[in-house]
Amino acid sequence: MHLPQHQRLARCCMVDSKPDTKSQVDLTEKLHAKLQAHQHATAKTLAFDPQRLERQLAIDSGLRTVFLGVLIVAMLLIFVVPEGVMSGWGSLLIIGVWLGVTLINAQVAQSVERITRSIEMGLVADAERMIASGLGRYPLHPSLRLTLYHRLAVLRHRQGRFAETAMITHALLTHRLGKIELLRSHLLLMLLESQLVGGQMMGAYMTMMELHRRRLSLTETMHLLPLQTRYELMCGHDQAVLAQCDRKIAVAELMPAPQAGLVHQWIGIAAQRQGREKLADFCQRRAALLCDPDQLQATSYGGVDVIAQ
Amino acid sequence: MSATGTPFIPPTAEQVQTHLEQHPVNPPSPWLAWGPMIVIGLAVFTAVVMPVLVLVPCAMLIGLMITSQTRAGQLRRLEQRLNRAGELAVCRHLPEALRLSWRLLADATAYPPLHQRTQLMIGQILDHVQAYDAALVIYDDVIDRMGQSSASPTANHQNGLADRAGKMSPGKRNRNMVAAVGFTPASGLMVLRFQLQRALALLRSHRLVDADDRIRRLRGEVESVASQPGGAMLAGAYRVLQLMQAVVTNHADDAIELCDDLEKMLRPLGVEAGLGYGLAARAYQVRGGREGSASESWQQAQYWWTNATMLLPAEELVNRLPELQETADALAAAPTFSEVLHG
């Protein structure tokens, strides 16, 4: 029997497993490392094309129109020949079409949760495969197709492929999101970070204004704070960074340690530039307690190198 | 529950137990899962056998759509309420958060994963308001049920890996997931996190023998996940737990032995690391008390207390652990953010 390579790898790791804790630990680490290494090695990139998105949405819409037409014809058939054999077949046609469309959408909707989990666990190839498979199904409800593209944007964002993230999020934001309108803020946040990484300050400003017009949840506010601080620092608006500093610090304290440390670090830099030595010293000491030096130097989240110039 | 405007009194362990018993998980009947298939089957049957009743199959399908939309809408509203409670808890509006999640538990009985998340939310809030006995009731209930799916979090995590590698049969996977009441096999870290919180609650409610037993048992589990994503935070929480045990049981020298790489270990905890530093300060202060106020231990105590109060105000530290009152009185705290900002 031919197994996929990642299954064979997992099976090899399982062969020598013993029930004691040490081997259990080794086993977990081996499995995790080998699965992730294999997934990274075999990850196929799903290219994003805005025109493809438009085409897919048009096909979905067209197919739904066709199915609606079929339903109307079937209903007419039933009413025109109410007591004939055709009315039975008409009802069956309605059920068949309804069932087919519902099943396709239900299967893809179920895969969305698995995609989210795969992204969280760093299983890039799994996520890519499931997204590609979902996008290849027709007809999907527009909100479901856009949700799949949202997950693709999240995946690219996690991979640090910010140019693609910006392209996907920008394309999605031009559409009416309907049932998934709640995702708009998240899309805007990903777009904002991508624009900041790409140095598109005007675009970042517009995105930030859009975000400020929206009612954000606490989590979204926590995501916005480091991005806005970083924007203001990159633009040299040190006074804006220091405005409502106490509120910013309070929000930063709710964040995971690396992000909290970076916000402290940036407020410290702004304070230093403004000659507020005590505040700068306090923020930098706190940053050192929240992040190790490597994290503070990392550019993946914060672009500290840009700020340091 | 106290009404708005009156002093907040957290529920007792008995009240929590009664509330859990009154609102147990009541998963929908398997018939409900098969409901759509039965309705579709009936619709097909009606269409084929009784073609005269043309509108009946259509009405059945419309009814089915309305039912599933209603159920999805209900679940969405419940999740929004839980998210709201979570936000309130994060912002330390604990009475409101507890009130909201307490009511939510009664409404979420038909949705096992949501019911469990609500239970855990209540447990964490009770932990924050120092109602440790009541929190223990929640943790015991949830962890015992989660534990049915696997012997240990490590095994649980391996189930997740084996599942992804295609080794676990769908039947076994489903049984595990059902036993875990909605938790996925890869949620081992979450189980471990709540086991740590349970051990902490045991320690704080002075059930020291039970706490010691739990802490010892958890060591291997924590070490096994420390190198995984999210594991560093658990390792940090475990170190705080060890420090607290040593301080609460007056083993200052044991606590000091845990301080070697303390900053590195506790960084992932964010400002919560302040409690760990406070405990380190307390341990050095006890030793410094024996050696004299000019000793190196005393300086170390001051160093750790400064770190602790950089992250959390001294009052907050004392509020969380009254054993730190003596340390707060004896050592100088770092300036607060307000003092720095306006000073």
Side-chain angles (χ1 to χ4, degrees), chain A residues 6-8 10-11 14 21 23-29 31-32 35-36 75 78-79 81-85 87-89 91-92 94-95 98-99 113 117-118 121 123 126 179 182 216-219 222 242 245-247 249 253-258 264 276 278-283 285-293 295, chain B residues 37 40 43-45 47-48 51-55 57-58 61 64-65 69 76 80 86-88 90-92 152 154-155 157-158 160-167 177 184-186 220-221 223-225 227-229 233 263 266-271 273 277 303 306-312 334-337 340-343:
Chain A
H6 70 278
Q7 289 191 16
R8 287 202 302 270
R11 191 156 285 193
M14 299 292 277
T21 313
S23 66
Q24 211 173 31
V25 173
D26 292 346
L27 175 63
T28 310
E29 285 176 359
L31 268 173
H32 211 276
L35 271 173
Q36 282 202 337
M75 291 288 272
I78 289 167
F79 285 107
V81 199
E83 292 178 6
V85 182
S87 63
W89 287 110
S91 302
L92 277 179
I94 293 174
I95 295 168
W98 180 83
L99 200 60
E113 199 185 328
R117 211 184 309 148
S118 296
M121 295 170 91
L123 302 170
D126 271 0
K179 282 183 181 175
L182 280 174
L216 301 180
S217 69
L218 179 64
T219 315
M222 287 198 287
L242 298 178
C245 201
D246 46 351
R247 193 190 69 85
I249 292 287
E253 286 179 354
L254 303 175
M255 294 175 188
H264 279 85
R276 297 176 67 175
K278 272 188 181 176
L279 181 59
D281 181 54
F282 178 85
C283 288
R285 281 173 68 191
R286 259 192 144 197
L289 287 172
L290 294 165
C291 290
D292 61 41
Q295 282 173 322
Chain B
M37 297 309 294
I40 290 165
V44 173
F45 178 79
V48 173
V52 183
L53 304 172
V54 286
L55 287 178
C58 298
L61 294 184
L64 191 61
M65 280 172 70
Q69 290 283 342
R76 205 166 41 241
Q80 280 170 357
E87 285 194 355
L88 285 169
V90 167
C91 295
R92 293 288 188 268
S152 70
T154 311
H157 186 71
Q158 282 175 358
L161 294 173
D163 182 19
R164 290 203 308 282
K167 277 199 71 70
M177 288 172 82
T184 59
E221 303 288 356
E223 283 173 359
S224 70
V225 299
S227 59
Q228 290 167 19
M233 191 182 271
E263 283 177 348
L266 300 196
R267 268 197 192 106
L269 298 179
V271 292
Y277 299 143
Y303 172 77
T306 306
N307 277 358
T309 49
M310 282 292 291
L311 295 177
L312 288 171
T336 63
F337 180 68
V340 171
L341 197 61
H342 305 295

Side-chain angles (χ1 to χ4, degrees), chain B residues 209-283:
Chain B
V209 177
D210 287 343
D212 182 57
D213 181 45
R214 299 278 176 196
I215 292 169
R216 278 171 201 277
R217 278 197 220 171
L218 287 171
R219 179 195 287 265
E221 303 288 356
V222 172
E223 283 173 359
S224 70
V225 299
S227 59
Q228 290 167 19
M233 191 182 271
L234 293 180
Y238 186 73
R239 180 64 65 89
V240 173
L241 195 59
Q242 286 178 305
L243 280 167
M244 190 177 283
Q245 185 189 26
V247 167
V248 166
T249 55
N250 293 318
H251 290 92
D253 292 335
D254 291 350
I256 287 168
E257 279 178 25
L258 296 165
C259 294
D260 282 347
D261 53 352
L262 198 60
E263 283 177 348
K264 187 182 165 207
M265 288 294 292
L266 300 196
R267 268 197 192 106
L269 298 179
V271 292
E272 295 300 314
L275 183 61
Y277 299 143
L279 290 162
R282 172 69 187 152

Side-chain angles (χ1 to χ4, degrees), chain B residues 145-157 159 176 179-180 185 188 191:
Chain B
R145 256 189 299 139
M146 287 164 94
Q148 286 169 15
S149 67
S150 63
S152 70
T154 311
N156 205 353
H157 186 71
N159 281 347
N176 278 357
V191 182

Side-chain angles (χ1 to χ4, degrees), chain B residues 136-148:
Chain B
L136 275 171
V137 173
I138 300 269
Y139 290 143
D140 285 342
D141 185 70
V142 175
I143 292 168
D144 289 350
R145 256 189 299 139
M146 287 164 94
Q148 286 169 15

Side-chain angles (χ1 to χ4, degrees), chain A residues 41-77:
Chain A
T42 57
K44 284 181 190 168
T45 299
L46 181 66
F48 175 73
D49 176 8
Q51 287 177 341
R52 189 167 159 241
L53 167 63
E54 299 300 333
R55 207 165 45 239
Q56 286 174 331
L57 288 172
I59 293 172
D60 286 334
S61 171
L63 279 174
R64 277 202 314 277
T65 311
V66 169
F67 288 145
L68 192 65
V70 171
L71 288 182
I72 291 168
V73 168
M75 291 288 272
L76 285 175
L77 204 64

Side-chain angles (χ1 to χ4, degrees), chain A residues 6-267:
Chain A
H6 70 278
Q7 289 191 16
R8 287 202 302 270
L9 281 170
R11 191 156 285 193
C12 291
C13 293
M14 299 292 277
V15 167
D16 296 328
S17 66
K18 288 174 188 168
D20 59 284
T21 313
K22 180 77 173 67
S23 66
Q24 211 173 31
V25 173
D26 292 346
L27 175 63
T28 310
E29 285 176 359
K30 270 185 196 171
L31 268 173
H32 211 276
K34 290 203 173 186
L35 271 173
Q36 282 202 337
H38 172 71
Q39 293 230 334
H40 279 295
T42 57
K44 284 181 190 168
T45 299
L46 181 66
F48 175 73
D49 176 8
Q51 287 177 341
R52 189 167 159 241
L53 167 63
E54 299 300 333
R55 207 165 45 239
Q56 286 174 331
L57 288 172
I59 293 172
D60 286 334
S61 171
L63 279 174
R64 277 202 314 277
T65 311
V66 169
F67 288 145
L68 192 65
V70 171
L71 288 182
I72 291 168
V73 168
M75 291 288 272
L76 285 175
L77 204 64
I78 289 167
F79 285 107
V80 171
V81 199
E83 292 178 6
V85 182
M86 290 308 285
S87 63
W89 287 110
S91 302
L92 277 179
L93 192 62
I94 293 174
I95 295 168
V97 169
W98 180 83
L99 200 60
V101 174
T102 307
L103 273 178
I104 290 170
N105 280 273
Q107 282 175 351
V108 175
Q110 277 181 347
S111 75
V112 171
E113 199 185 328
R114 290 200 300 273
I115 291 167
T116 309
R117 211 184 309 148
S118 296
I119 294 172
E120 280 171 3
M121 295 170 91
L123 302 170
V124 176
D126 271 0
E128 293 245 11
R129 184 176 45 73
M130 284 189 280
I131 292 171
S133 157
L135 290 175
R137 308 290 295 274
Y138 296 94
L140 292 186
H141 193 277
S143 62
L144 189 55
R145 189 169 296 282
L146 294 175
T147 304
L148 285 173
Y149 274 106
H150 169 261
R151 297 300 190 274
L152 182 62
V154 173
L155 180 64
R156 294 289 176 259
H157 185 256
R158 287 279 175 105
Q159 289 174 302
R161 291 160 65 171
F162 292 105
E164 281 176 75
T165 311
M167 203 163 36
I168 301 168
T169 49
H170 193 266
L172 293 183
L173 286 165
T174 57
H175 287 92
R176 278 186 67 245
L177 297 179
K179 282 183 181 175
I180 54 162
E181 186 60 34
L182 280 174
L183 293 179
R184 188 174 289 276
S185 301
H186 190 231
L187 286 167
L188 285 165
L189 285 165
M190 285 193 290
L191 177 62
L192 175 58
E193 183 164 6
S194 307
Q195 286 168 329
L196 286 175
V197 172
Q200 300 165 22
M201 306 313 280
M202 183 53 81
Y205 175 78
M206 301 303 284
T207 310
M208 219 156 50
M209 287 303 101
E210 176 71 29
L211 276 163
H212 278 282
R213 276 195 289 271
R214 296 182 62 78
R215 189 178 170 187
L216 301 180
S217 69
L218 179 64
T219 315
E220 287 159 355
T221 308
M222 287 198 287
H223 282 146
L224 178 58
L225 175 61
L227 296 174
Q228 183 169 339
T229 309
R230 182 179 164 191
Y231 167 84
E232 289 165 347
L233 210 53
M234 286 169 84
C235 292
H237 298 158
D238 297 334
Q239 285 182 330
V241 175
L242 298 178
Q244 293 186 304
C245 201
D246 46 351
R247 193 190 69 85
K248 287 177 181 172
I249 292 287
V251 174
E253 286 179 354
L254 303 175
M255 294 175 188
Q259 285 91 325
L262 282 174
V263 171
H264 279 85
Q265 169 94 337
W266 293 339
I267 292 175

